[in-house]
Amino acid sequence: MSSDNIPWNPKMRQKRTPSDVVVDGIIWLILIAVVLVVMYPLWFVVIASFSDPTAVSTGNVTLWPVGFSLDSYRMILADGRIWRGYLNTIMYSVIGTAVNLLVTIPAAYACSRREFKPRRLIMLFFTFTMFFGGGLIPSYLLIKQLNLLDSMWVFILPGAFGAYNFIIARSFFESSIPEDLRDAARVDGVSYYGFFLRIVLPLSGAILAVIGLYCFVSHWNDYFTGLIYIRSQDKQPLQVVLQNILLANQTDQGSVGMSAAQSQNLGDQIKFGIIIISTLPLLILYPCIQKYFNKGVMIGAVKG
């Protein structure tokens, strides 16, 4: 029997040489070092937010909390604006992400179809917006003329369409949706709308998760919009509320119910607590869709 006729056995592996072991060991050490460099700052923020402020300021906090304390969280959460800011940000993020997907996904699918003749011209217009913008003052005047000042829609409508997300989704549809599916659907009498709704969308869970995460994170971290366009305190997003609390604490204004001495002692710890409070929902959300995120990024990057 020739070697070509021998069935392949996945359990059969090439014998490893000492040099292979050394190279693998070096790669593992490098990967571990990179993970530690990336994770330690995050871990330090967590333990510092639960540690005694004096221990943090003197450098005694390294790997574990020292002098466990929840004073910073009590001071932050005692301000009622936190809960209103959380509610506003969740509303802006959820509605904004839904609008982003509703606008971006159909447009990306339409421009992925070869029979759609103007798609290259439309792509040129969309790509142009990635490199050129009007600037702050023209944008402010435009928002004012559209009557979006001090409105929740200023967080949603101006950024409803993202050219970057559009390009990722278009690449996904071009490389991952076989043309044979459209031919089969056409034979069965399925229209473009039916094909998109009943076949394309169920097969696009990965890219929907990727773009949804991108949009949600963008809305959640949107600080500039609330700072420039929102005047009512009850409409401010969480990021602006936390920034106001932090500034008030630094200037000893007592906006979170602290005396000047307490503000001085807990200043750094409050900063760490604010970081945890503002990023906690994203830290919970990301592991839930991580598998879709990895798959969608890889598939969308196959073809540009």
Side-chain angles (χ1 to χ4, degrees):
M1 180 181 294
S2 64
S3 59
D4 295 337
N5 297 327
I6 299 177
W8 179 75
N9 186 355
K11 296 183 179 180
M12 296 177 59
R13 297 181 179 179
Q14 186 178 2
K15 186 177 180 181
R16 295 169 59 84
T17 62
S19 60
D20 294 334
V21 177
V22 173
V23 171
D24 288 346
I26 294 175
I27 293 175
W28 275 105
L29 289 176
I30 294 175
L31 291 176
I32 293 174
V34 171
V35 170
L36 291 177
V37 169
V38 174
M39 293 299 298
Y40 180 74
L42 302 177
W43 174 246
F44 178 79
V45 170
V46 174
I47 62 177
S49 66
F50 291 103
S51 299
D52 181 73
T54 303
V56 175
S57 60
T58 56
N60 294 327
V61 178
T62 54
L63 294 178
W64 308 105
V66 176
F68 185 82
S69 173
L70 294 176
D71 291 341
S72 62
Y73 291 100
R74 293 193 186 98
M75 300 299 178
I76 296 172
L77 297 179
D79 195 316
R81 293 177 297 171
I82 289 288
W83 306 110
R84 184 62 186 177
Y86 250 118
L87 180 61
N88 290 338
T89 299
I90 291 174
M91 180 174 59
Y92 301 154
S93 300
V94 172
I95 299 177
T97 301
V99 173
N100 291 139
L101 294 176
L102 185 63
V103 172
T104 304
I105 298 301
Y109 174 71
C111 289
S112 69
R113 303 300 305 173
R114 293 181 176 87
E115 60 268 25
F116 184 54
K117 301 302 180 182
R119 65 179 188 143
R120 297 190 180 277
L121 181 61
I122 293 175
M123 275 293 303
L124 177 62
F125 290 150
F126 288 161
T127 307
F128 182 85
T129 63
M130 299 177 63
F131 302 99
F132 300 94
L136 178 59
I137 295 178
S139 298
Y140 184 88
L141 295 177
L142 176 62
I143 295 298
K144 183 178 181 181
Q145 291 178 359
L146 293 175
N147 294 323
L148 294 178
L149 287 180
D150 204 24
S151 169
M152 64 168 287
W153 297 108
V154 75
F155 293 94
I156 299 171
L157 295 182
F161 182 86
Y164 178 75
N165 295 331
F166 166 81
I167 294 174
I168 293 179
R170 183 188 65 89
S171 300
F172 174 86
F173 291 134
E174 286 185 344
S175 60
S176 302
I177 304 299
E179 187 64 24
D180 294 340
L181 286 178
R182 175 56 192 156
D183 295 338
R186 186 183 297 112
V187 171
D188 293 335
V190 179
S191 64
Y192 271 109
Y193 297 104
F195 178 71
F196 175 72
L197 295 174
R198 297 163 56 184
I199 298 178
V200 174
L201 287 183
L203 295 176
S204 305
I207 198 63
L208 291 176
V210 171
I211 295 181
L213 179 63
Y214 284 162
C215 296
F216 188 88
V217 172
S218 177
H219 286 291
W220 186 271
N221 292 330
D222 191 357
Y223 161 78
F224 189 75
T225 301
L227 183 66
I228 299 298
Y229 301 117
I230 299 298
R231 293 293 176 263
S232 301
Q233 292 295 325
D234 59 342
K235 296 180 181 178
Q236 291 286 4
L238 178 65
Q239 308 301 333
V240 176
V241 171
L242 294 177
Q243 188 256 2
N244 291 336
I245 292 176
L246 182 61
L247 290 179
N249 173 66
Q250 291 177 344
T251 56
D252 295 333
Q253 294 178 358
S255 64
V256 292
M258 296 186 300
S259 65
Q262 288 175 325
S263 177
Q264 182 67 28
N265 294 333
L266 295 176
D268 292 336
Q269 193 180 27
I270 286 178
K271 295 178 184 178
F272 296 129
I274 285 176
I275 294 174
I276 297 299
I277 290 175
S278 61
T279 58
L280 184 60
L282 299 180
L283 295 177
I284 296 175
L285 176 65
Y286 179 77
C288 300
I289 60 175
Q290 181 180 7
K291 59 179 181 179
Y292 301 105
F293 180 82
N294 295 335
K295 180 180 178 182
V297 168
M298 292 303 297
I299 293 177
V302 171
K303 185 176 181 181

